[in-house]
Amino acid sequence: MNNILHYNIKENGVVSSLPYLFMAVFSWCGSYSADLLRRKNYLRITIIRKICNTIGFVGPALCLFGVIMVGCNHIISSVLFALSMGFNGFISAGFIVCHMDLAPDFAGTLMGITNAFGNISGFLAPYFVGVLTQENETLYRWTLVFSSSIGFYIVTNLLFVVFGSAELQHWGVASNPENKEMDKIPSSATN
């Protein structure tokens, strides 16, 4: 934004906060829609998660492609960056909540394990961007960065669509005496 588009983010806090505002709003909308689909039994939970995840990954990929196409137009680029983060908010109803779907009693442990591996990109991505753009920040170099991001979005979404699941696993509920006692009570008595 600063070196290529000559956009001073320090002087424009609104523009720099828009992507996060969009992400929050899209996340709420996506989560509400997913809950509605689930509550009405329109789709299986795995399908709902895959649809939301696809919106959350393919949407940003398309927006980043748009950023590449518009070049140095800082207004359209800013809008596309905000939309990109907005669409990414759909992952809140995508893969992010699969831990709860798969194993409600072990969701915290699963989240810890997956975040440990998932956060590796948190230090590899800035290094990768630094290698590509170090002392050579050009539009072409940033196109490489955005193209790589597009590739990661598409490939990781395809992996989730093909292999992902949100169905409750048999090991996902802890076996304890309280659960077994609840199973003996007729469902009409618990309502």
Side-chain angles (χ1 to χ4, degrees):
M1 291 291 241
N2 188 33
N3 293 340
I4 302 300
L5 299 178
H6 307 294
Y7 204 86
N8 190 343
I9 292 178
K10 291 178 184 174
E11 293 178 4
N12 205 329
V14 173
V15 172
S16 61
S17 66
L18 275 179
Y20 300 99
L21 176 63
F22 275 46
M23 186 177 209
V25 171
F26 279 52
S27 177
W28 295 326
C29 293
S31 298
Y32 179 80
S33 300
D35 287 346
L36 183 65
L37 289 171
R38 185 175 186 179
R39 191 171 41 251
K40 300 279 188 182
N41 286 326
Y42 289 137
L43 297 169
R44 286 188 8 244
I45 189 64
T46 297
I47 300 300
I48 295 168
R49 299 294 181 233
K50 289 180 179 186
I51 289 170
C52 289
N53 205 74
T54 299
I55 294 168
F57 277 20
V58 174
L62 292 173
C63 289
L64 289 178
F65 181 74
V67 168
I68 292 170
M69 295 286 93
V70 300
C72 291
N73 186 324
H74 72 276
I75 293 172
I76 296 176
S77 292
S78 297
V79 169
L80 288 170
F81 281 131
L83 284 172
S84 176
M85 285 285 286
F87 283 120
N88 197 241
F90 271 82
I91 65 170
S92 297
F95 80 91
I96 296 284
V97 291
C98 280
H99 303 90
M100 285 296 298
D101 297 327
L102 293 169
D105 290 346
F106 303 106
T109 303
L110 288 174
M111 183 64 101
I113 292 168
T114 57
N115 270 352
F117 289 103
N119 284 325
I120 292 172
S121 65
F123 64 86
L124 289 180
Y127 175 75
F128 175 73
V129 171
V131 167
L132 282 179
T133 62
Q134 186 177 19
E135 297 179 24
N136 193 13
E137 286 199 45
T138 62
L139 189 58
Y140 171 74
R141 293 294 181 146
W142 278 102
T143 298
L144 292 177
V145 170
F146 296 141
S147 298
S148 300
S149 297
I150 292 167
F152 282 117
Y153 273 129
I154 299 299
V155 168
T156 54
N157 186 64
L158 283 174
L159 288 172
F160 184 73
V161 167
V162 172
F163 298 110
S165 174
E167 304 301 327
L168 178 65
Q169 301 298 300
H170 66 88
W171 51 266
V173 179
S175 175
N176 67 43
E178 191 175 296
N179 286 348
K180 290 181 181 176
E181 291 299 316
M182 290 300 292
D183 289 342
K184 294 178 186 176
I185 299 172
S187 61
S188 61
T190 59
N191 293 336

